[in-house]
């Protein structure tokens, strides 16, 4: 249960950051060129570092991941669903 709550907390924080980024782009507070640069930095640098630090801080091993297959696959499925939702929303707002 603690793992699920930690995952939910991380997803909530990430969703908040996405919403803030979306709002700043739509209001014009951040220019489109700057936004694409920030998105590139976040996806190529910040996210991998955040994932690695999370894994290393919890002493995650392959055995622990395999013991929690359902949680692991739920996370993968959630990411895919959120990606599809993001693509759909981007198409609606023509981002």
């Amino acid at each position: 249960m603690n793992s699920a709550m930690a995952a939910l907390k991380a997803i909530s924080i990430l969703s908040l950051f996405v919403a803030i980024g979306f709002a700043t782009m739509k209001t014009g507070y951040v220019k489109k060129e700057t936004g694409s640069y920030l998105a590139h930095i976040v996806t190529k640098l910040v996210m991998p570092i955040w994932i690695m630090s999370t894994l290393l801080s919890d002493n995650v091993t392959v055995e622990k991941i395999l013991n929690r297959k359902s949680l692991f696959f739920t996370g993968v499925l959630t990411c895919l669903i959120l990606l599809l939702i993001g693509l759909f929303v981007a198409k609606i707002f023509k981002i």
Side-chain angles (χ1 to χ4, degrees), residues 56-95:
L56 293 175
S57 68
D58 291 339
N59 297 322
V60 174
T61 62
V62 174
E63 291 82 26
K64 285 184 181 180
I65 291 173
L66 293 176
N67 288 338
R68 296 182 180 122
K69 289 178 192 171
S70 62
L71 182 62
F72 177 74
F73 288 116
T74 301
V76 170
L77 183 64
T78 301
C79 288
L80 291 174
I81 290 170
L82 289 174
L83 176 65
L84 292 173
I85 290 171
L87 291 172
F88 179 71
V89 169
K91 199 166 241 190
I92 288 174
F93 289 108
K94 297 179 182 170
I95 299 175

